[in-house]
Amino acid sequence: MKKTHTIRLPHLGEGVESADVSEILVSPGDKINTDEPIVVLESDKASMEIPSDIKGTIQEVFIEKGKEIIAGDKIVSIVSEEPTENKAKEKEEEKQEETKNQTIEKHTAHTTTKKTEHTFRTSPSVRKLARELQISLSDVKGSGKKGRITREDLIYEIKDRMTKKGADREKQEIDYSQWGPVDFIPLSKVKKITGTRMESAWREVPQVTQFDKADISGLNTYRKKLNKENPTIKITFLPFLIKAVTKALIKFPDLNSSLSVDKKTLIHKRYYHIGVAVDTPGGLVVPVVKNTNKKDIIEISKELEDISRRSREKQLKPEELKGGTFTISSLGGIGGTYFSPIVNPPQVAILGVSKAKKEPVFSTSKNSFMPKDILPISLTYDHRVIDGAQAAVFTKYLGSVLLEFLQET
Ligand code: CAO
């Protein structure tokens, strides 16, 4: 049986005699559920929503936006679709609680700017459920009008938490000792930091590695000559690589760049600061050799000797680890043929260098194989910025620059 109910403005709390209608959320003909808001009121101390305690269809709206109303005034009439007597009592209790909450809010509104549970827009039943499940409403994203938290929003938050909890459970420590003896080795601070950076670089940067070989026979002869002329310093392959890479970066500025945060702009850097991966007992550190376009092989060699020693002695200043535009990771002193280094964001490329070896290379002019010093190089690049063809052209050009050192001998 259908029944018409009139919703009146309840008593708003101590000291609040009236309120202005700031928003009317329903119109005649609208279907409304219990707990759904009908109107938003603003008093001089607080903003509050008046929910319906009846499920039905709005028949008439008695209030006007901007007008003041007082307790007892008619708000709307609703034609109910089912008997509501049993539920009405329960709803009345919740309504009283809501009014109590609003009163608390009113009292705290001028005393603090911190949001309390009462300041979030939601229905009493959602508020009650959140309280029972010990979920703070500040953690729930409201999808309703003016950020109102609906029952579905709360359920979504609960599901989200349950999924996360499930994932955490999957990550639970495995008891490896069940299969044999184990030792627990705490990671060094540097290793932990490197791990986090590598993880995010791997996740965020779509990276590809281009492998190539460079003939460094001439460079090696020149290096030996320089070493003889400068007996107080040790000149390895690395300073030559730094110089050659710098020349290549000047020619291909995309590789000496960073992507803007909104990923819409490429920032070309017109300075050349090369990071060098140094293996230390505490883990990997990457000090930066600055302005490599303005330094010669001897200056870079001295600087490399100094920073690799201070890296191992943990004597680097934080400034010396910043500002790199490109990185070189050399495992040439150790061995291996090729490896794929990981891009060091916000840089967009990194060069991996492996151990040079004598290899037979066919000479068409001599129509025979000649022994050459061949350096394996691997360029890993951010594929959002650099295309495969660009990377291949870069490594080819780098090879030609390394070959040019032949002319210096
Ligand atoms: N091919 C052949 N020999 C090489 C070479 C190469 N590509 N690179 C270096 N060598 C030789 C050097 O000439 C030197 O030999 P001599 O003593 O006969 O001259 C010897 O190997 C040792 O060199 P080095 O490694 O001490 O010096 P470097 O300038 O080449 O490198 C540094 C310096 C700091 C980069 C290096 O010591 C280092 O720490 N490398 C490890 C970097 C690393 O861990 N990268 C991996 C990052 S990803 O996990």
Side-chain angles (χ1 to χ4, degrees), residues 194 198 216 220 223 227 234-239 241 276-280 283-287 304-305 307-309 311-312 328-335 339-342 350 353-357 374-376:
T194 308
M198 292 292 123
I216 56 158
N220 205 10
R223 183 179 79 93
N227 264 322
K234 184 175 164 189
I235 303 163
T236 63
F237 291 101
L238 204 50
L241 285 160
V276 176
V278 178
D279 182 32
T280 78
L284 191 68
V285 287
V286 187
L304 272 177
E305 250 183 29
I307 55 168
S308 42
R309 179 185 50 79
S311 298
R312 288 171 179 132
I328 299 180
S329 177
S330 171
L331 290 175
I334 304 168
F339 69 105
S340 310
I342 296 179
I350 180 169
V353 181
S354 299
K355 194 173 180 69
K357 288 188 191 97
I374 300 298
L375 181 76

Side-chain angles (χ1 to χ4, degrees), residues 16 63-64 79 83 87 90 100 103 173 178 186 197 202 216 273 277 337 383 387-388:
V16 188
I63 48 174
E64 266 181 70
V79 178
K87 276 210 133 195
E90 191 187 314
K100 200 170 91 193
T103 308
E173 204 61 74
Q178 61 185 303
R197 284 184 59 87
W202 187 258
I216 56 158
H273 298 344
T337 315
H383 212 340
D387 296 331

Side-chain angles (χ1 to χ4, degrees), residues 276-341:
V276 176
V278 178
D279 182 32
T280 78
L284 191 68
V285 287
V286 187
V288 177
V289 182
K290 302 230 165 79
N291 300 311
T292 51
N293 54 325
K294 296 178 186 158
K295 292 173 182 164
D296 63 20
I297 297 285
I298 304 293
E299 285 172 304
I300 295 174
S301 293
K302 285 181 184 165
E303 198 169 328
L304 272 177
E305 250 183 29
D306 174 52
I307 55 168
S308 42
R309 179 185 50 79
R310 286 191 297 114
S311 298
R312 288 171 179 132
E313 292 169 0
K314 296 186 183 169
Q315 299 293 323
L316 287 176
K317 297 184 202 101
E319 274 312 302
E320 293 176 290
L321 297 161
K322 291 180 190 162
T325 57
F326 184 97
T327 296
I328 299 180
S329 177
S330 171
L331 290 175
I334 304 168
T337 315
Y338 289 103
F339 69 105
S340 310

Side-chain angles (χ1 to χ4, degrees), residues 5 26 82 128 156 172 190 308-309 320 363 367 373:
H5 306 263
V26 292
E82 56 187 78
K128 193 172 165 216
Y156 181 85
Q172 261 177 16
V190 172
S308 42
R309 179 185 50 79
E320 293 176 290
S363 159
N367 199 28
D373 295 311

Side-chain angles (χ1 to χ4, degrees), residues 38 43 50 81 109 128 136 181 225 276 305 337 391 404 407:
I38 308 166
S43 77
I50 305 299
E81 294 172 348
K128 193 172 165 216
S136 166
K225 184 179 149 212
V276 176
E305 250 183 29
T337 315
E404 275 172 25
Q407 290 153 17

